[in-house]
C-alpha cells in the first residue's frame, strides 16, 4: 500500500486525535496486574495496539474489543501461561514491560525481543537492573528475555540513570505488588506516566509523587480491575498543528488536552504559529505571521518532546533563516531529514551538541540538525517512510511540496496513526491510500 499525496495547497479542516498509543499499550499491560476485568476507553485503532492485543491474547488473556466504540475489555483471569511467544508479525516496545505482571503472577516470564522504531540503541539495561533490584533474576537469550523469582518481589530504592519512560513503567509495575516500600528516583514524569499512575491508583495501588522526579510506592497484595479513558495523543496533536502552520492552513484538532502540549505551544507561537483554545480538548491551529527560525533542544518532560521534533523540523523548512534542533533523548533521530533532501529540504546533520552538552557528546552520533529555510519543496515520484514518528513528517513535507508524491513503507505510519487517508477526510489534504 502507498499514500498518494498531492501538495502545494494550504491544509484546513477538522480532525480528531486518537487515544495515545504510548499510554494505551501500557494500560493494557497494567490491566494484567489484577485478575479482575479492566475496560479501556478511547483506545486507538492502530497497528501497534493490535500488536499488543495479539501479545496479550497469545498468553490466554480474554479480550473483548469494540472497535466501533473504541473500547476494549481485558479479562486477565484467563491467562494460562507466562511464556509470550515470538511475534508473528513484528513487535513493539511492550515485551519488556510484560515481564513485571507475569513475574508477580507466575514467578517467571519469557518474552520475545523488542521491536519499535530504529532511532537509537534503545537498550533495556535500566529495566533489567530494576528487575534484579526488586529481587528477580533475568537473562537475555537470542530470542528474548527469561525472568524468574524465587520469592515475592521486595520493595527497593531504585535510581534511574536517565528518566526513561519505559523503565519508570517497569519500576511502577514491579513496585505496586512488591512487599513493602519502594522509591523510584529520577523517574520520568511524562503525562502518560501520570495517566498510568492514576490508573494504578484506581486499581488500589498506593503511589505518592514528590517534586524532583521522586515516586514512593507502598506495595499491596492485590489490585482490582478498573475503567480508564486513554488521553489524546499529544504527538499526533502537535503533528496536525504543524501541518496547519507549515501549509499556511487552519486546522481544528479535537480530542487533545492543551496542557499535554506544554512547551510545544510556546515554541509554535515563537516561530509564528497561532492557536486558539476552543474548549477543554479542542484547539484551532494556524499560521499567524511569516515563519521565523528558532533553536530547539529536545528533552524529557516537561521539555520539548523528541517525538515533536520531526513535524516541527518540517515546519521550520518554511521559516526564513537558519534553525537548529539539538536531539538529547535518542541518538539516531534525524535520518528522515536526509531522506527528505530530494524534496528540497535543506538540512545538515552534525555530531556536535549544538546546545547543552548531552550524554551523546563526542560519540560521533548524529544529534544536531541545522535547517535552512525557506525551501520551496517539490514533489518526488516516490519516497519511503522509515519510521513511525518520521511518518507524519513525510506527510507534512508531501503536503507542502508542489505536485504528487507517493509515500511507501506506510505500515510505519499506520502502526502509530492508523489509516491517515481515512482519518484526514475532514481536512482539505489531498491524500489517497492506494495498492
Ligand atoms: N534507555 C537506556 N536504557 C534503558 C531504557 C532507556 O539507555 O533501559 C535510554 C534510551 O536508549 C533513550 C532514553 O533512555 O536514549 C529514553 O528512552 P525511554 O525509555 O524514555 O523511551 P521508551 O520508553 O523506549 C517512549 C516512547 C517513545 C518516546 C520516548 C521518550 C513508547 C512505546 N515509546 O519510549 O515514543 O519517544 O518514550 O519520550 O512509549 C514513538 O511513539 O514513536 C516513540 C518512539
Amino acid at each position: 500500500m502507498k499514500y498518494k499525496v498531492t501538495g502545494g495547497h494550504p491544509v484546513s479542516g477538522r480532525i480528531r486525535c486518537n487515544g495515545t498509543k504510548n499510554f494505551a499499550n501500557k494500560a493494557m499491560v497494567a490491566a494484567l496486574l489484577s485478575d479482575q476485568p479492566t475496560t479501556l476507553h478511547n483506545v486507538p485503532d492502530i497497528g501497534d495496539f493490535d500488536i499488543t492485543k495479539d501479545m496479550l491474547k497469545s498468553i490466554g488473556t480474554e479480550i473483548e474489543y469494540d472497535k466501533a466504540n473504541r473500547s476494549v475489555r481485558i479479562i486477565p483471569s484467563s491467562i494460562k501461561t507466562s511464556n509470550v511467544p515470538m511475534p508473528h508479525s513484528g513487535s513493539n516496545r511492550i515485551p519488556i514491560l510484560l515481564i513485571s505482571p507475569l513475574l508477580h503472577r507466575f514467578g517467571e516470564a519469557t518474552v520475545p525481543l523488542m521491536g519499535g522504531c530504529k532511532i537509537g540503541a534503545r537498550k533495556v539495561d535500566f529495566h533489567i537492573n530494576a528487575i534484579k533490584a526488586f529481587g528477580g533474576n533475568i537473562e537475555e537469550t537470542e530470542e528474548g528475555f527469561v525472568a524468574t523469582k524465587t520469592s515475592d518481589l521486595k520493595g527497593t530504592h531504585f535510581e534511574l540513570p536517565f528518566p526513561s519512560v519505559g523503565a519508570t513503567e517497569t519500576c511502577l509495575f514491579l513496585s505496586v505488588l512488591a512487599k513493602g516500600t519502594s522509591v523510584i528516583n529520577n523517574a520520568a514524569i511524562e503525562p502518560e506516566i501520570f495517566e498510568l499512575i492514576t490508573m494504578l491508583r484506581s486499581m488500589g495501588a498506593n503511589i505518592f509523587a514528590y517534586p524532583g522526579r521522586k515516586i514512593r510506592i507502598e506495595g499491596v497484595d492485590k489490585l482490582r480491575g478498573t475503567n480508564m479513558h486513554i488521553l489524546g495523543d499529544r504527538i499526533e496533536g502537535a503533528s496536525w498543528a504543524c501541518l496547519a502552520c507549515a501549509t499556511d492552513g487552519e486546522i481544528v484538532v479535537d480530542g487533545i488536552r492543551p496542557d499535554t502540549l506544554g512547551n510545544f505551544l510556546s515554541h509554535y507561537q515563537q516561530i509564528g504559529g497561532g492557536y486558539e483554545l476552543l474548549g477543554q480538548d479542542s484547539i484551532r491551529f494556524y499560521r499567524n505571521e511569516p515563519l521565523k527560525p528558532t533553536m530547539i533542544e529536545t528533552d524529557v518532560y516537561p521539555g520539548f518532546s523528541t517525538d515533536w521534533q520531526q513535524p516541527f523540523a518540517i515546519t521550520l523548512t518554511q521559516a526564513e533563516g537558519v534553525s537548529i534542533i539539538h536531539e538529547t533523548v535518542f541518538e539516531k533521530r534525524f535520518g528522515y531529514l536526509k531522506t527528505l533532501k530530494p524534496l528540497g529540504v535543506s538540512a545538515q546533520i552534525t555530531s556536535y551538541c549544538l546546545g547543552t552538552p548531552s550524554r551523546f557528546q563526542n560519540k560521533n552520533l548524529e544529534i544536531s540538525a541545522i535547517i535552512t529555510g525557506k525551501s520551496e519543496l517539490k514533489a518526488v515520484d516516490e519516497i519511503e517512510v522509515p519510521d513511525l514518528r518520521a511518518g507524519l513528517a513525510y506527510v507534512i513535507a508531501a503536503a507542502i511540496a508542489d505536485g504528487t508524491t507517493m509515500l511507501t513503507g506506510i505500515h510505519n505510519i499506520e502502526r502509530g496513526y492508523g489509516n491517515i487517508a481515512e482519518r484526514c477526510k475532514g481536512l482539505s489534504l489531498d491524500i489517497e491510500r492506494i495498492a
Side-chain angles (χ1 to χ4, degrees), residues 3-180:
Y3 287 146
K4 180 180 168 201
V5 182
T6 304
H9 315 284
V11 177
S12 296
R14 190 159 197 144
I15 190 157
R16 170 162 284 277
C17 280
N18 271 327
T20 176
K21 116 178 148 51
N22 289 349
F23 174 52
N25 282 333
K26 320 300 176 62
M28 298 269 279
V29 178
L32 306 191
L33 291 162
S34 170
D35 54 11
Q36 294 176 356
T38 281
T39 304
L40 304 176
H41 305 276
N42 196 36
V43 295
D45 182 11
I46 57 173
D48 208 68
F49 185 69
D50 292 337
I51 292 174
T52 305
K53 257 194 298 120
D54 289 346
M55 245 180 251
L56 263 54
K57 278 187 188 164
S58 74
I59 52 172
T61 320
E62 211 177 299
I63 296 204
E64 294 165 5
Y65 180 40
D66 182 348
K67 192 167 170 159
N69 289 308
R70 296 280 168 86
S71 74
V72 67
R73 186 168 154 84
I74 301 150
I75 304 165
S77 54
S78 59
I79 297 180
K80 288 179 186 62
T81 171
S82 61
N83 188 344
V84 183
M86 298 280 284
H88 297 295
S89 55
S91 183
N92 58 12
R93 307 298 300 166
I94 295 304
I96 197 87
L97 298 178
L98 280 171
I99 290 178
S100 308
L102 294 174
L103 201 53
H104 282 303
R105 181 186 289 222
F106 292 99
E108 56 180 30
T110 304
V111 301
L113 288 173
M114 311 237 277
C117 293
K118 294 174 180 54
I119 51 182
R122 304 198 82 174
K123 292 196 284 186
V124 289
D125 49 337
F126 308 162
H127 301 251
I128 290 174
N129 292 339
I131 291 165
K132 288 180 178 164
F134 279 84
N137 312 303
I138 177 159
E139 266 175 49
E140 186 169 357
T141 66
E142 266 177 28
E143 287 88 34
F145 298 91
V146 181
T148 53
K149 66 171 186 181
T150 44
S151 57
D152 284 341
L153 297 182
K154 286 194 183 53
T156 188
H157 285 226
F158 192 76
E159 168 105 18
L160 285 161
F162 183 83
S164 149
V165 170
T168 300
E169 290 158 348
T170 281
C171 289
L172 286 168
F173 294 150
L174 290 166
S175 59
V176 285
L177 288 174
K179 295 273 172 242

